[in-house]
Structure formats: C-alpha cells, structure tokens
Amino acid sequence: MNKQYMLSALISGLFLSAPALAGHSHPQANTHAPIGVMGDHTHKQGEWMFSYRFMNMEMQGNLDGSAAISPETIATTIPNRLAGNPGQPPTLRVVPTKM
C-alpha cells in the first residue's frame, strides 16, 4: 500500500469521524460553502474541522507563448506591468527557474 493512499485513507477516516465527535449524527456537506471559502460558518466550543488538499505540480523552464525563453531575456526585455509605480523597475526582476 503506498503512502499517498494510506494518508488519504487516514484523512478520510478523520473527516468522516469529525461530525460524530462534534455531536452531529448526520454530516451535511451542503450546509457549508466550498472548501476555499473561509468564514461561512462558526464552530461551537469543542467542535473542530480538518482540511487536507493534495496537489502535485512540476515546472521547469519558462515559455513566452509556446517558445522557450531564458531568465536573462525575461529580466532584461519583458516589461513590468507595475512599472511607473513607486519602487517598480521597468522590467521584471524575479524570474522563476524551477518549481
């Protein structure tokens, strides 16, 4: 059994048991806003909520449309959209190379 499956099973168990621990007999997902919306409800004393989101993403290199572009070219030629505001340079200064 791989680690990701085990973690998912553990978290599913915690999620499904959380309403019972909080005193609710029937969990109702439709009583809350989507997961990214914060502050749509409050919890009573002793209640708790747990959220887990898994994402896998890889990035290497930069593209201008579909053409590869070097970090040096980006830093010296691509205009900064915020140029003209105080403290903003005319071209981009921070260029990602790997994520």
Side-chain angles (χ1 to χ4, degrees):
M1 191 178 314
N2 69 33
K3 289 181 183 178
Q4 183 179 350
Y5 177 79
M6 289 173 53
L7 181 60
S8 178
L10 172 66
I11 290 173
S12 295
L14 287 173
F15 175 73
L16 294 174
S17 65
L21 294 173
H24 299 287
S25 58
H26 301 290
Q28 299 290 321
N30 63 353
T31 62
H32 298 299
I35 194 166
V37 178
M38 300 297 290
D40 75 311
H41 67 282
T42 59
H43 292 264
K44 296 176 186 168
Q45 185 175 353
E47 290 184 338
W48 56 276
M49 182 171 67
F50 180 81
S51 172
Y52 172 80
R53 297 177 227 177
F54 179 79
M55 185 175 96
N56 186 18
M57 181 178 166
E58 292 185 30
M59 181 190 94
Q60 190 167 5
N62 292 292
L63 298 175
D64 184 9
S66 60
I69 186 170
S70 73
E72 294 79 19
T73 302
I74 293 172
T76 58
T77 64
I78 302 295
N80 180 357
R81 294 184 319 185
L82 301 175
N85 290 328
Q88 294 293 322
T91 59
L92 299 175
R93 295 291 183 234
V94 177
V95 181
T97 57
K98 187 174 182 181
M99 180 166 59

